[in-house]
Structure formats: structure tokens, C-alpha cells
Amino acid sequence: MTASIDEQIARKRAAADKQASRAAALKKELRDLERKKAAAERKARTHRLVEVGAILEQATGLTFDTEGSRRALSTALNEQLYYSNGVAFTRGGDIASACGEPDGDQR
């Protein structure tokens, strides 16, 4: 005996609801994974920043524990200077070039 149209509709709706529930669960799992990835990336970046800060303090013998000292460091690294041939550079760009970063200032 064939199912009535109402029974077929009810089965299709139940299947659609089940699929919608599964889709919502998958979207939640995806959001959770994306949050976990973002948290891991933030943690890794923070770790890198702490290491770089330690290297900078060790190399300079200074501590950058005030807003003023950090501002002075930023100014020193970003100040536009000129070589004797007139080419502009920044100390930060020179450091980037020395570390092999392609976006350092060109000489």
C-alpha cells in the first residue's frame, strides 16, 4: 500500500528538519574550530612578540617599560633618514632587510 500524500509530506518534512539540525550542528562545529584556530594564532603571535621584545631589550640593554620609551623606540625605528646618496630609509626597514624580509626599505 502506498503512503498517503500527507504521510509523504510528513516524512519529507522530518527528513528536512533532521538535515537542518545537522547543518546547524556542523556550522557550530565550524565556528568552534575557527575560534580555536584564531585563539592558537593569537597565542603564537603573543609568544613571538614577547620573544622579539626580549631580544630587543637584550640587544639594547634597555627596558621599554613606559609608554614614552615605547614611543621613542617606535620613532627611532620609523624615522625617515637619508643615506649620503640621498636614498631614504628607516632603521626598521634596515632591520627588516637584514633579517631577510622582502618589504624592507631599498637602498
Side-chain angles (χ1 to χ4, degrees), residues 42-90:
R42 276 192 309 277
K43 184 178 178 181
R45 180 174 185 270
T46 298
H47 184 75
R48 281 192 319 273
L49 290 172
V50 168
E51 285 182 327
V52 168
I55 291 167
L56 184 62
E57 285 191 349
Q58 181 184 28
T60 62
L62 302 172
T63 57
F64 299 95
D65 55 356
T66 66
E67 181 63 31
S69 63
R70 289 187 293 274
R71 196 173 320 119
L73 173 63
S74 179
T75 299
L77 292 174
N78 293 302
E79 182 181 8
Q80 185 91 12
L81 302 169
Y82 297 90
Y83 292 112
S84 59
N85 64 2
V87 175
F89 72 99
T90 64

